Amino acid sequence: MPTFTVVPVEDAEGGSNSAAAAGGSKPVSLRKLFVEEEDKNSQGTNSGDDSQRESSPFINSDNDREPYYEGKNMALFEEEMDSNPMVSSLLNKLANYTNLTQGVREHEEAENEEGVRRVAVMVPQMGTFIGVYLPCMQNILGVILFLRLTWIVGTAGILGSFAIVSMCCICTLLTAISMSAIATNGVVPAGGSYYMISRSLGPEFGGAVGLCFYLGTTFAGSMYILGTIEILLTYIVPTATVFKGTDDEARLNNMRVYGTCCLVLMALVVFVGVKYVNKLALVFLACVILSIMATYAGVIKTMIEPPEFNVCLLGNRSLSNEKFETCAKTQIVKNQTVTTELWSIFCNSKYPNATCDEYFTLNNLTEIQAIPGLLSGVIKENLWGDYSPAGMYIENKDQPSVQLLDTPIDTDKPYVFNDITTYFTLLVGIYFPSVTGIMAGSNRSGDLRDAQRSIPIGTIMAILTTSFIYISCVVLFGACIEGVVLRDKFGYSVKKNPVIGILAWPSPWVIVIGSFFSCCGAGLQSLTGAPRLLQAIARDGIIPFLQVFGHGKANGEPTWALLLTVGICEIGILIASLDAVAPILSMFFLMCYLFVNLACAVQTLLCTPNWRPRFKFYHWTLSFLGMSLCLSLMFISSWYYALVAMVIAGCIYKYIEYKGAVKEWGDGIRGLSLNAARYALIRLEEAPLHTKNWRPQLLVLCKLDSDLSVKHPRLLSFSTQLKAGKGLTIVCSVLEGTYMTRGNEAKTGEQNLKAAMASERMKGFSHVVVSSNLRDGFSLLIQSAGLGGMKHNAVLMAWPTGWTQARDSSARRNFIETVRETTAAQQALLVAKNIDHFPSNQERLKEGTIDVWWIVHDGGLLMLLPFLLNQHKVWRKCKMRIFTVAQMDDNSIQMKKDLQMFLYHLRLDAEVEVVEMHDSDISAFTYEKTLVMEQRSQMLKQMQLSRNEREREIQSITDVSRGSIKRKKSPGAAAPSLNTPCIPEDEAQLIHDRNTASHSTMTDKAAGATPDRVHMTWTKEKLIHERNKHREGMGVKDMFNMKPEWENLNQSNVRRMHTAVKLNEVVVKKSQNSQLVLLNMPGPPKNKKGDENYMEFLEVLMDGLDRVVLVRGGGREVITIYS
């Protein structure tokens, strides 16, 4: 591609720069400003995908500039230059033609002679023919055409070969249609198919398929190098072998030695100078075109004069004529009958009375024409295939022969054998690499003048052209060449000439030299393109262990990626068989094409707003058909290779999903997930959830500390253990204030929640809301968290441990109101006490029990929770025990049997114990606890009242001061009206407005919980009197040293305390050493006057226990005995 050196020039319009500076009145060009800004931006861009796709949504182009020509002698053609370029321009494009991917540039090209780096301006000047059509042709036509197509035609027959070629060409045509739609839906930077797939299907699919495409390209390099060495050792210099011998082992070892040397040489060429590969691209392409033209010329010549190549048959067996010239047993020389070279090969001496091979004795030698010609009618014999196992003779079934029974195959004689077992599916795998290379145009989209027009036209035209060439070659080979010659893979029967070479005109060396350079060029291009593809994947950062391969030389050459590519390529060379390597790269290319079709189908079906391809001749059915055909060809070619390729891609996919970087590329899989989620949410709301499908969908109420970090991370651990990775989990928190002032803190808190969830390997959602107070925030979350059918059905929170030391009652009120709201919303509630003592996800409890105290039945949640915990590895070794309480009139023995039967039907394994609690007198301890509780409640009320009075006193003083200041500032004011009452100076009026009180405070006032009023007016004397009275009362009566007056206690509180004390005694006795205790949570009192005592009852109930979870059901059955 041409590069231009940008040099400063003087402005032609306004004189010199100094004059412009002195004048100061010349307007600055907008184009100049934008170009300077663009240069600044280009210097600061980062490598990788982000700089390619996020820099600007538009493409900066200079096409709108009017062309300017230096000379006046071409002015007559000036208006036609765009459509009909000058001959010099065309030759310049041909000279700069390259088949390398975009971004391949050598550092020598970026520096001038003085070593000063110059600014290279990329000018996309390539059109459809030079930029897309010829590179695709060069990639598609290659080694298989010259070395294996004749063998495929002879083995599968014309009809079978036509089916193979048609399937593969249709597959690539459908893939090209899908690829054209994706490539014209915006700009495709360097990376080609990897970029298209990753941005359409997401980083997981993109990384997996990108690596598969990289492996396919690397093994393609191995195949081309093996083809180069096969041509070299078989046809050019067959004597240059390291391992001597005629067996297959020696041939494979020679392939390995020479293949490794060739690989090292090519790698050095790529490392030292990519520009040399660039310059030779046109030579390689010319070799391919000349070889194909020579083949067609030879076909035409067979109609006039068939070439002088004959095949020698012994009976019906084809013979290798490398060691003999005359196809006869004897010949007449100077009127004497003498034996030939064949006689010496098949007999023990050259004399006529020698003992000869039995098959040689019984059968005659026949010499037939290797290429009968287009009009010979040999096409009828080659219509059907001739498959045979490895080591069998290549025979002409129409030739008469005397067969010997039970004779072993003689490999020492000059017969032509099948080297591998042939069958239809094997031929499909060997042939498919010959139709790969359709991505060459999309890989170079940045070098095209109009990529969105050139890529579809050039790629599809190249596929149609190559399909015509392949199909015509299949028919012409079958119509011109004898069947035994077609099945001779290496041309042993025609003096070790390539079969397509003896057909070509004027000489077989045209094909030999052309195919040799074609394979060399294709191998160099594979070694050039594969490292850059790996570098593009590594720089995206989606696969962490590949990041080292994103680095290279100072000019961006992927040195480390080239080393890895050479290493993988060496594996293919060590296989040393082109027929064995071809199915491997077929798998990887087919998988890549499969996902290109899948990407187009997904984008079309989703109808995303950004899906607006300029190429309109596509449909999702064509993409789906292409995808199905790719999958079918994978298993047709080799089912075990297909499974291996899928396993490799699956492992890469899961690795990227588990360890890879998070990328948001607007891919189709995300859109597909959104559509699937929307469909599933709508379906979930169509019918109520059945009990069998019930599982806890948790809303976890977390508290953030002053640093916006999670205060109780073990709460997340417990929710993970409870969920075992299944179901919905929403982790929420509330910040007090307004969103306008604390919006950034809310986002920071949400990020901290996500980080804490990630550290606990917790799958779920996080959300932080800002509310005027905590109570309203929790209420909002309980009501509105979730979406549609994916709403929470249980709330998990930590026990407010510091509520007794709090100076206000907000913590107590918030907790109790949360309990009431979850009950009203029919949601289950889980309250964990001492949550910081719970085990982390890394701990393993070796033994112990999970004790369930089943006091009342509220849906069976108590039974389900220990079963769910046992599914997690932390609690897996803990046994489940269930305790229930029997009263005086209950039959405890029958209760135990019934409970055991119930657990049997529930399929739960647990020990059952019935605890008898007899009616007993209320102990003095219970009365004492109740008395202390009520005294504490009374003290808290008095403290609250004192605090309110202090606020009123301060407000009163403030108001008096304000009134005096106002009077001093207005001495000359008018006298007050007679209708306005005068306020004495010694009287202070206090208006206490509580319009901004919280929701819970307003509720308490409505219920009469506090003696406060919304508006109060006290005189100064009354204020002092009430304050002194309160102080005297507090001094006379010490609340902590009062004599117990049990007869004045609230009997309801006494009974409740008695239940809590007795139940706690039993629970502590039975479950003090258990790993976890699950308890029924009693509900708060309906009368809100008893709220201050409710928390005391729960404290007494859990006293002496370490890990406790209070459970309150949601009012529905969550476990069933039915299947």
Side-chain angles (χ1 to χ4, degrees):
M1 193 185 318
T3 58
F4 299 97
T5 302
V6 178
V7 295
V9 296
E10 293 185 355
D11 198 331
E13 296 180 4
S16 66
N17 294 336
S18 59
S25 60
K26 180 183 174 181
V28 180
S29 171
L30 286 177
R31 178 178 298 278
K32 182 177 180 181
L33 289 178
F34 281 108
V35 168
E36 290 175 356
E37 185 66 26
E38 200 173 59
D39 292 338
K40 292 178 182 178
N41 292 338
S42 63
Q43 294 173 2
T45 53
N46 296 324
S47 62
D49 172 70
D50 295 337
S51 62
Q52 292 173 352
R53 62 184 171 87
E54 297 294 347
S55 58
S56 173
F58 304 107
I59 303 172
N60 296 318
S61 176
D62 291 335
N63 293 337
D64 53 348
R65 297 183 182 179
E66 294 182 2
Y68 174 75
Y69 302 98
E70 290 289 337
K72 300 293 195 302
N73 54 351
M74 289 293 124
L76 186 62
F77 302 95
E78 197 171 285
E79 295 180 356
E80 299 177 353
M81 288 296 179
D82 291 334
S83 57
N84 301 320
M86 295 174 61
V87 174
S88 60
S89 176
L90 177 62
L91 294 177
N92 184 40
K93 292 177 184 178
L94 287 173
N96 288 281
Y97 165 75
T98 175
N99 193 32
L100 302 179
T101 56
Q102 177 189 358
V104 178
R105 186 154 292 101
E106 188 59 33
H107 61 279
E108 292 92 341
E109 301 178 12
E111 295 181 359
N112 57 16
E113 291 78 1
E114 289 78 14
V116 179
R117 186 168 298 275
R118 61 186 181 180
V119 181
V121 180
M122 301 292 295
V123 182
Q125 290 292 330
M126 291 191 179
T128 303
F129 184 76
I130 297 292
V132 180
Y133 182 77
L134 289 183
C136 287
M137 288 280 291
Q138 184 179 352
N139 277 266
I140 295 173
L141 300 173
V143 61
I144 301 296
L145 171 64
F146 299 120
L147 297 184
R148 292 294 182 270
L149 188 58
T150 54
W151 173 71
I152 292 173
V153 173
T155 306
I158 294 176
L159 297 179
S161 302
F162 185 82
I164 293 172
V165 173
S166 299
M167 280 194 304
C168 296
C169 290
I170 290 173
C171 175
T172 54
L173 180 62
L174 294 175
T175 304
I177 293 173
S178 300
M179 183 199 69
S180 299
I182 299 174
T184 58
N185 189 51
V187 179
V188 180
S193 58
Y194 159 71
Y195 184 91
M196 289 189 293
I197 296 172
S198 61
R199 271 55 177 181
S200 298
L201 294 180
E204 293 86 2
F205 279 107
V209 181
L211 278 184
C212 287
F213 189 57
Y214 163 74
L215 292 174
T217 307
T218 304
F219 277 104
S222 301
M223 185 185 71
Y224 292 130
I225 292 174
L226 290 174
T228 302
I229 302 304
E230 183 177 309
I231 295 171
L232 179 69
L233 295 181
T234 306
Y235 306 120
I236 299 178
V237 280
T239 57
T241 55
V242 178
F243 297 88
K244 305 298 181 181
T246 58
D247 58 337
D248 287 340
E249 190 62 30
R251 182 176 63 85
L252 295 178
N253 288 332
N254 286 318
M255 295 282 287
R256 293 185 180 104
V257 172
Y258 278 93
T260 303
C261 296
C262 183
L263 173 62
V264 172
L265 183 63
M266 287 185 177
L268 288 176
V269 171
V270 173
F271 178 78
V272 171
V274 178
K275 63 179 181 181
Y276 302 116
V277 184
N278 187 3
K279 298 298 182 184
L280 292 174
L282 187 62
V283 177
F284 301 145
L285 178 62
C287 291
V288 175
I289 295 175
L290 289 175
S291 300
I292 294 173
M293 291 176 63
T295 303
Y296 281 112
V299 170
I300 296 172
K301 185 177 179 296
T302 60
M303 299 171 60
I304 305 169
E305 181 185 358
E308 296 296 331
F309 282 97
N310 295 322
V311 181
C312 186
L313 300 178
L314 177 60
N316 62 357
R317 299 176 184 176
S318 178
L319 295 178
S320 172
N321 58 3
E322 183 183 3
K323 296 181 179 180
F324 63 89
E325 295 291 337
T326 305
C327 183
K329 296 180 181 179
T330 61
Q331 60 181 346
I332 298 175
V333 178
K334 298 179 181 180
N335 295 326
Q336 291 184 359
T337 302
V338 296
T339 59
T340 61
E341 294 93 338
L342 273 175
W343 185 275
S344 301
I345 293 173
F346 283 94
C347 302
N348 57 4
S349 70
K350 63 179 181 179
Y351 301 107
N353 59 353
T355 303
C356 297
D357 181 78
E358 186 177 1
Y359 187 83
F360 180 77
T361 305
L362 296 176
N363 290 277
N364 295 322
L365 288 166
T366 308
E367 194 170 29
I368 63 174
Q369 205 168 13
I371 302 179
L374 193 61
L375 304 178
S376 62
V378 74
I379 188 173
K380 297 178 182 178
E381 302 173 7
N382 294 329
L383 281 177
W384 308 104
D386 187 2
Y387 301 101
S388 59
M392 291 298 293
Y393 304 109
I394 294 179
E395 300 175 340
N396 187 346
K397 298 299 189 331
D398 297 332
Q399 200 72 18
S401 173
V402 178
Q403 299 293 334
L404 300 179
L405 300 178
D406 300 330
T407 56
I409 295 175
D410 191 355
T411 58
D412 296 331
K413 299 299 185 288
Y415 295 115
V416 181
F417 300 97
N418 273 328
D419 62 333
I420 59 173
T421 302
T422 54
Y423 43 91
F424 180 80
T425 57
L426 173 70
L427 300 182
V428 174
I430 293 175
Y431 172 76
F432 187 81
S434 65
V435 297
T436 59
I438 63 174
M439 301 289 184
S442 63
N443 287 349
R444 308 169 74 248
S445 59
D447 300 336
L448 303 174
R449 182 186 302 115
D450 186 359
Q452 298 190 357
R453 177 180 176 273
S454 297
I455 289 177
I457 296 176
T459 305
I460 293 175
M461 288 302 298
I463 290 175
L464 293 177
T465 304
T466 53
S467 299
F468 170 77
I469 292 173
Y470 281 125
I471 292 174
S472 62
C473 285
V474 165
V475 176
L476 293 176
F477 291 165
C480 295
I481 306 175
E482 183 65 40
V484 290
V485 180
L486 287 173
R487 290 190 293 276
D488 185 1
K489 182 186 294 185
F490 301 106
Y492 291 138
S493 61
V494 286
K495 296 188 180 297
K496 252 190 175 181
N497 284 303
V499 176
I500 190 175
I502 63 173
L503 178 64
W505 180 84
S507 170
W509 283 99
V510 176
I511 297 297
V512 172
I513 301 301
S515 59
F516 178 80
F517 282 110
S518 173
C519 292
C520 284
L524 284 171
Q525 289 151 16
S526 297
L527 290 178
T528 305
R532 280 156 181 80
L533 178 60
L534 181 62
Q535 187 181 45
I537 298 172
R539 286 182 173 177
D540 267 347
I542 58 175
I543 306 178
F545 70 85
L546 288 182
Q547 289 184 359
V548 66
F549 299 107
H551 308 292
K553 293 193 291 186
N555 62 319
E557 288 296 309
T559 307
W560 295 108
L562 178 62
L563 291 176
L564 179 64
T565 303
V566 171
I568 298 175
C569 198
E570 177 65 18
I571 296 174
I573 288 174
L574 292 178
I575 297 175
S577 173
L578 190 148
D579 302 322
V581 173
I584 297 176
L585 63 101
S586 294
M587 292 304 109
F588 293 122
F589 277 116
L590 279 168
M591 181 166 290
C592 177
Y593 296 165
L594 183 149
F595 281 98
V596 169
N597 286 290
L598 175 63
C600 182
V602 167
Q603 296 279 24
T604 307
L605 290 174
L606 288 178
C607 299
T608 53
N610 192 52
W611 180 245
R612 304 183 303 273
R614 290 192 179 275
F615 180 75
K616 302 299 182 184
F617 304 100
Y618 70 95
H619 196 265
W620 69 268
T621 53
L622 295 177
S623 301
F624 187 78
L625 180 62
M627 182 179 64
S628 304
L629 192 55
C630 289
L631 187 63
S632 303
L633 285 174
M634 286 179 67
F635 283 93
I636 287 174
S637 301
S638 176
W639 63 268
Y640 47 89
Y641 279 161
L643 291 179
V644 170
M646 287 182 173
V647 168
I648 292 174
C651 292
I652 298 171
Y653 178 93
K654 295 304 292 183
Y655 177 80
I656 296 174
E657 186 181 44
Y658 180 69
K659 298 272 291 186
V662 178
K663 296 284 185 179
E664 176 49 53
W665 288 333
D667 51 87
I669 293 297
R670 186 173 180 84
L672 188 64
S673 302
L674 290 174
N675 273 10
R678 178 185 60 85
Y679 174 78
L681 288 173
I682 293 174
R683 286 292 304 273
L684 282 175
E685 284 197 316
E686 290 179 358
L689 187 67
H690 194 274
T691 303
K692 291 188 293 185
N693 295 325
W694 193 94
R695 66 169 60 248
Q697 316 283 6
L698 290 180
L699 173 68
V700 184
L701 300 180
C702 273
K703 188 174 182 181
L704 301 179
D705 56 18
S706 58
D707 296 330
L708 300 178
S709 300
V710 178
K711 189 173 183 180
H712 301 293
R714 292 296 172 87
L715 194 64
L716 303 182
S717 303
F718 182 66
S719 61
T720 304
Q721 298 157 15
L722 190 61
K723 304 289 294 179
K726 304 295 190 300
L728 173 71
T729 305
I730 307 174
V731 182
C732 298
S733 187
V734 179
L735 298 179
E736 283 190 288
T738 62
Y739 189 76
M740 297 300 294
T741 58
R742 305 198 67 181
N744 292 332
E745 295 181 25
K747 294 177 182 178
T748 304
E750 192 163 334
Q751 292 298 324
N752 293 340
L753 282 181
K754 289 181 180 179
M757 293 170 66
S759 64
E760 297 293 339
R761 296 184 180 180
M762 183 180 185
K763 300 292 184 180
F765 308 96
S766 61
H767 192 45
V768 175
V769 299
V770 182
S771 179
S772 59
N773 54 76
L774 296 178
R775 174 71 245 113
D776 291 344
F778 288 138
S779 176
L780 178 66
L781 290 173
I782 292 172
Q783 295 177 59
S784 61
L787 179 64
M790 287 295 286
K791 291 183 71 68
H792 62 279
N793 54 27
V795 177
L796 174 63
M797 61 186 302
W799 174 259
T801 53
W803 73 273
T804 54
Q805 286 79 25
R807 301 187 62 181
D808 57 3
S809 59
S810 60
R812 171 177 57 83
R813 291 200 307 270
N814 289 342
F815 178 80
I816 296 174
E817 289 300 320
T818 301
V819 176
R820 286 197 174 101
E821 289 196 359
T822 53
T823 304
Q826 294 185 337
Q827 296 172 4
L829 178 63
L830 309 177
V831 181
K833 184 185 178 184
N834 295 332
I835 187 62
D836 295 327
H837 297 175
F838 276 56
S840 66
N841 288 331
Q842 287 71 36
E843 296 182 36
R844 302 291 182 271
L845 301 179
K846 302 298 183 182
E847 57 183 0
T849 60
I850 301 176
D851 290 354
V852 177
W853 284 85
W854 194 19
I855 312 301
V856 295
H857 178 66
D858 54 357
L861 183 58
L862 273 172
M863 305 290 187
L864 190 60
L865 290 180
F867 170 76
L868 295 175
L869 288 173
N870 273 328
Q871 308 303 307
H872 197 274
K873 52 192 174 183
V874 173
W875 305 90
R876 190 163 293 159
K877 294 185 178 180
C878 294
K879 296 181 180 179
M880 176 180 172
R881 297 193 302 179
I882 296 183
F883 298 89
T884 188
V885 177
Q887 302 297 328
M888 279 293 295
D889 51 351
D890 293 329
N891 187 342
S892 58
I893 298 177
Q894 188 62 36
M895 281 181 64
K896 184 174 182 178
K897 291 181 179 179
D898 294 341
L899 183 55
Q900 288 175 338
M901 182 58 64
F902 181 58
L903 292 177
Y904 175 78
H905 287 303
L906 289 177
R907 290 92 61 201
L908 296 176
D909 297 326
E911 299 178 10
V912 176
E913 185 172 344
V914 178
V915 178
E916 295 182 353
M917 289 185 63
H918 303 293
D919 289 339
S920 60
D921 294 335
I922 299 175
S923 63
F925 175 75
T926 302
Y927 280 112
E928 189 68 29
K929 290 284 289 185
T930 308
L931 180 61
V932 171
M933 178 187 71
E934 291 193 352
Q935 288 175 347
R936 179 182 294 162
S937 300
Q938 187 65 24
M939 182 189 66
L940 290 174
K941 286 182 180 180
Q942 294 293 339
M943 290 175 62
Q944 182 69 22
L945 182 61
S946 300
R947 185 161 53 252
N948 292 340
E949 288 177 350
R950 285 197 299 272
E951 291 175 358
R952 295 190 191 100
E953 182 177 359
I954 294 171
Q955 185 65 36
S956 174
I957 296 172
T958 303
D959 291 344
V960 172
S961 300
R962 286 176 181 173
S964 62
I965 291 172
K966 287 180 181 180
R967 285 192 296 270
K968 289 178 181 179
K969 283 186 178 182
S970 56
S977 173
L978 294 175
N979 296 328
T980 305
C982 296
I983 302 176
E985 293 184 7
D986 59 348
E987 184 175 302
Q989 181 180 6
L990 174 63
I991 308 296
H992 191 64
D993 191 355
R994 293 190 179 270
N995 289 335
T996 60
S998 66
H999 169 72
S1000 56
T1001 306
M1002 295 292 290
T1003 307
D1004 291 343
K1005 286 190 295 183
T1010 63
D1012 297 347
R1013 295 293 184 269
V1014 177
H1015 297 284
M1016 291 185 181
T1017 303
W1018 283 7
T1019 62
K1020 186 175 181 180
E1021 290 80 9
K1022 185 176 181 180
L1023 181 65
I1024 296 173
H1025 176 71
E1026 289 293 330
R1027 184 173 68 248
N1028 293 334
K1029 180 181 178 182
H1030 172 67
R1031 289 174 179 172
E1032 291 173 0
M1034 291 296 291
V1036 174
K1037 189 175 183 179
D1038 188 353
M1039 287 187 152
F1040 287 100
N1041 295 318
M1042 290 176 60
K1043 183 179 179 180
E1045 299 179 0
W1046 296 344
E1047 64 274 6
N1048 296 328
L1049 293 176
N1050 188 325
Q1051 294 303 309
S1052 175
N1053 289 341
V1054 173
R1055 290 195 305 271
R1056 290 172 183 268
M1057 184 62 73
H1058 175 67
T1059 303
V1061 170
K1062 297 299 292 183
L1063 190 56
N1064 175 258
E1065 291 177 357
V1066 176
V1067 173
V1068 170
K1069 179 181 178 182
K1070 298 286 186 181
S1071 304
Q1072 189 172 17
N1073 297 323
S1074 64
Q1075 297 289 355
L1076 180 65
V1077 177
L1078 302 176
L1079 272 170
N1080 275 120
M1081 181 179 183
K1086 295 181 179 180
N1087 185 2
K1088 292 189 177 182
K1089 291 183 178 180
D1091 283 356
E1092 62 272 12
N1093 302 324
Y1094 174 67
M1095 301 287 283
E1096 291 280 359
F1097 297 143
L1098 296 182
E1099 284 281 8
V1100 172
L1101 184 62
M1102 297 183 291
D1103 189 28
L1105 299 174
D1106 187 19
R1107 300 172 184 158
V1108 186
V1109 177
L1110 295 177
V1111 181
R1112 186 165 176 79
R1116 61 161 295 170
E1117 293 292 330
V1118 300
I1119 194 168
T1120 178
I1121 63 174
Y1122 300 104
S1123 62

